[in-house]
Amino acid sequence: MELIPGSAVVTGGSRGIGRAIALRLGQLGTPVAIGYTRNVDKAEQVAAAIVAAGGKAAAIQVDVSKAEQVDEFIAAASQAVGPIGILINNAGITRDSLLLRLQKQAWADVLATNLDGTFYCTQAVLRGMVKRRSGRIVNIASVVGIHGNAGQTNYAAAKAGIIGFTKSLAQEVAKRGITVNAVAPGFIATDMTASLPANIQDQYLNKIPSGRYGKPEDVAAAVTFFCSASAGYITGQVLSVDGGLSM
């Protein structure tokens, strides 16, 4: 698969879905800047794996909820791996609770990282993409942002916001050769989902028509397609990667 020219930025790239995306882009020859918040060892392992396979990569620390850090991160990424042609907004957190018990800080933290971070990172790379009249932006949403989920009002609101953000920005930049799409994973086997109680995991599994949990690589495949030269006429779309969960 041929990807568009330029380097890629993957936020939350040290593990799970972000790791799989970074590795896949690196395997296809795209230089990758891996954004991470705390787990430097895992982020550097991802970068090392890409380099060992003959690619180019750098692990760079950033808290995407902080606008100033994002600007510094994007500048450092451009210097380390080259002009950014691909942005994957993947960084995200959960702070689950029923709304009556939800702490205001838990609401603010999830919106700040998941939604504000998407805005900050996108704005930071967009000017360069517009100037080059080329770019691929892929936002990692969630099926929860489409149909909701009890106990995740903050997370669902952030992911629904990302979907609206995706569709609106796609309209703004389509004539500039930039596509903006979202991938909405369902139940994917990651560290985040592994922390859920076993009975909750079983409940989800029973609802998935394909009869299995997704793998990070399933999401990475969809993201990679959106970043390819073949997807140049696809923008403003939300692709659910969920084994049929949201049918």
Side-chain angles (χ1 to χ4, degrees):
M1 184 181 294
E2 181 185 357
L3 303 185
I4 68 163
S7 65
V9 165
V10 181
T11 65
S14 66
R15 59 181 183 168
I17 290 172
R19 176 182 183 276
I21 293 169
L23 289 174
R24 180 63 175 153
L25 294 175
Q27 288 167 1
L28 292 171
T30 296
V32 183
I34 300 149
Y36 71 94
T37 304
R38 289 181 297 274
N39 205 325
V40 59
D41 291 339
K42 287 190 176 182
E44 290 183 345
Q45 287 170 14
V46 177
I50 293 172
V51 172
K56 184 176 182 180
I60 304 172
Q61 189 172 27
V62 61
D63 179 347
V64 298
S65 72
K66 310 295 185 186
E68 299 81 3
Q69 286 193 33
V70 169
D71 290 340
E72 294 172 358
F73 164 65
I74 295 301
S78 299
Q79 185 172 9
V81 297
I84 298 164
I86 295 170
L87 171 65
I88 313 299
N89 284 307
N90 170 73
I93 62 172
T94 58
R95 297 287 186 271
D96 296 349
S97 176
L98 295 175
L99 187 67
L100 284 173
R101 302 172 185 167
L102 185 64
Q103 298 294 315
K104 290 180 174 61
Q105 192 61 51
W107 173 272
D109 289 347
V110 169
L111 270 290
T113 295
N114 298 17
L115 186 55
D116 293 352
T118 295
F119 160 63
Y120 295 145
C121 290
T122 302
Q123 191 176 61
V125 305
L126 194 58
R127 191 175 301 277
M129 290 182 176
V130 168
K131 184 176 180 180
R132 293 186 295 274
R133 301 186 70 86
S134 175
R136 296 285 189 271
I137 298 169
V138 184
N139 301 318
I140 305 303
S142 170
V143 294
V144 169
I146 299 172
H147 60 68
N149 193 39
Q152 289 193 307
T153 50
N154 50 359
Y155 186 75
K159 294 301 186 178
I162 285 173
I163 290 172
F165 176 91
T166 297
K167 292 179 176 290
S168 299
L169 181 62
Q171 295 179 39
E172 293 184 14
V173 300
K175 291 183 179 179
R176 300 289 185 173
I178 302 166
T179 68
V180 189
N181 293 288
V183 173
F187 196 100
I188 308 298
T190 65
D191 292 345
M192 185 181 293
T193 54
S195 65
L196 293 173
N199 64 315
I200 300 298
Q201 294 188 38
D202 290 341
Q203 289 176 23
Y204 275 109
L205 182 60
N206 291 334
K207 296 178 181 178
I208 301 172
S210 65
R212 70 170 178 88
Y213 303 130
K215 298 179 293 185
E217 291 75 15
D218 295 322
V219 181
V223 170
T224 301
F225 169 68
F226 278 138
C227 297
S228 72
S230 301
Y233 199 58
I234 303 172
T235 194
Q237 302 304 304
V238 181
L239 177 60
S240 294
V241 180
D242 63 1
L245 177 64
S246 58
M247 282 195 293

